Amino acid sequence: MNRWLEFWKQGCSYGKRIKFEVAVALPVTMQTTNANPSEPFLGIRLDLDSRRISELVLKVYAHGLPPLGQRSAGYAANAGLSIMKAVSRLLDCLSDPGDTEWIAPLVMDEILIRILRSPFGKQVAEMGFVDSGVQRVAKAIAWLQSNFSQQMKVTDLADLIHMSVSSFNEHFKSVTSMSPLQYQKALRLHEARRLMFSDSRNASTASRQVGYISISQFSRDYSRFFGISPSRDIARWRQQEQVPHD
């Protein structure tokens, strides 16, 4: 996930929420904790277009973008009724090809404008600036996503986006809440878990495929990150698969 908005309703007691993920992809794990047939979980993801944001920023912030203040890796808040109505209209467009082509972009503009006017609109607006710190970090992250199994030097990543090492580390952590090395480790562990669950790889094979040399180091990192060892995690997953569902 790169730039995206997510809306969800999870049971009546949870209400309607909006989550905004800053302009970079973050390796995260999510879990639905409260859903049933009468109160189902509904999640909607919208990818954001930085070029369109840059055009709308000039209208929403006609007198210039206010100071950004402290960044966060992501934001969550109650979604206002106006935004939820716009999201509902966007979903309605899916039933008509003409609406999908002509009306949906207009509704998406409305959603973006309302988000830009929200309390974290300034952070969304920053996506529209090509040379912003966030966009530079996004370029480094794109490299990490494609090369996470390779050995990586922070100095090389900093050079890639034309930043000093200290400035790069500061920007990277402010955007992702992680250091570059922690981010790479998270990517490796998520991919290793996918390989074990989806492709039936054993822990040793999966660890090598994502770039680990030591299986013991992989097991330690995995246990710290997911709270369970690779072998126990796989066993638990297989046990859940065997449980009959009504």
Side-chain angles (χ1 to χ4, degrees):
M1 37 186 169
N2 278 338
R3 309 169 177 85
W4 53 273
L5 292 169
E6 181 178 339
F7 302 85
W8 73 87
K9 181 175 182 181
Q10 188 173 347
C12 291
S13 61
Y14 278 63
K16 296 167 183 175
R17 302 279 289 173
I18 176 174
K19 177 178 180 180
F20 163 61
E21 195 75 45
V22 183
V24 298
L26 294 180
V28 296
T29 300
M30 300 181 68
Q31 181 179 4
T32 302
T33 59
N34 181 34
N36 56 63
S38 60
E39 295 181 347
F41 175 91
L42 172 63
I44 303 163
R45 167 176 162 168
L46 302 178
D47 291 329
L48 304 182
D49 183 348
S50 59
R51 290 175 296 180
R52 189 59 185 146
I53 288 174
S54 66
E55 296 170 1
L56 295 174
V57 163
L58 297 176
K59 300 178 181 179
V60 177
Y61 295 98
H63 300 292
L65 190 65
L68 290 173
Q70 187 174 2
R71 292 191 184 95
S72 175
Y75 305 87
N78 287 322
L81 183 60
S82 58
I83 290 180
M84 297 310 299
K85 285 183 176 179
V87 172
S88 179
R89 290 198 302 274
L90 190 63
L91 289 176
D92 289 340
C93 291
L94 296 176
S95 61
D96 186 314
D99 286 354
T100 301
E101 181 178 2
W102 299 105
I103 306 300
L106 300 178
V107 179
M108 188 63 197
D109 277 357
E110 177 190 350
I111 293 171
L112 286 177
I113 290 170
R114 293 189 183 281
I115 296 299
L116 286 169
R117 295 170 59 193
S118 74
F120 47 80
K122 293 179 292 185
Q123 283 74 20
V124 181
E126 192 179 18
M127 293 181 185
F129 298 96
V130 175
D131 201 37
S132 68
V134 170
Q135 293 288 46
R136 290 192 186 189
V137 169
K139 182 178 180 181
I141 283 177
W143 186 92
L144 280 171
Q145 287 180 302
S146 300
N147 303 277
F148 62 83
S149 62
Q150 299 182 21
Q151 295 298 316
M152 180 267 293
K153 293 182 179 179
V154 175
T155 52
D156 293 338
L157 269 184
D159 288 342
L160 176 69
I161 60 173
H162 309 295
M163 275 189 175
S164 67
V165 173
S166 60
S167 180
F168 171 61
N169 280 323
E170 180 182 352
H171 276 81
F172 196 99
K173 192 161 188 177
S174 72
V175 171
T176 67
S177 297
M178 291 178 274
S179 71
L181 290 174
Q182 288 172 329
Y183 188 96
Q184 181 192 42
K185 182 185 294 184
L187 287 177
R188 287 179 169 183
L189 293 172
H190 274 287
E191 176 61 11
R193 197 182 201 202
R194 187 195 68 79
L195 289 170
M196 291 188 296
F197 289 174
S198 301
D199 295 353
S200 300
R201 302 285 201 280
N202 59 41
S204 179
T205 301
S207 67
R208 288 197 303 270
Q209 285 190 234
V210 301
Y212 274 89
I213 298 174
S214 166
I215 181 63
S216 59
Q217 183 63 54
F218 168 72
S219 296
R220 286 194 294 270
D221 288 347
Y222 193 102
S223 298
R224 292 192 195 102
F225 194 82
F226 292 112
I228 188 171
S229 69
S231 58
R232 290 180 59 192
D233 202 12
I234 294 173
R236 182 179 64 175
W237 179 266
R238 289 175 179 169
Q239 185 178 16
Q240 290 175 345
E241 284 189 320
Q242 294 172 0
V243 174
H245 299 281
D246 295 332

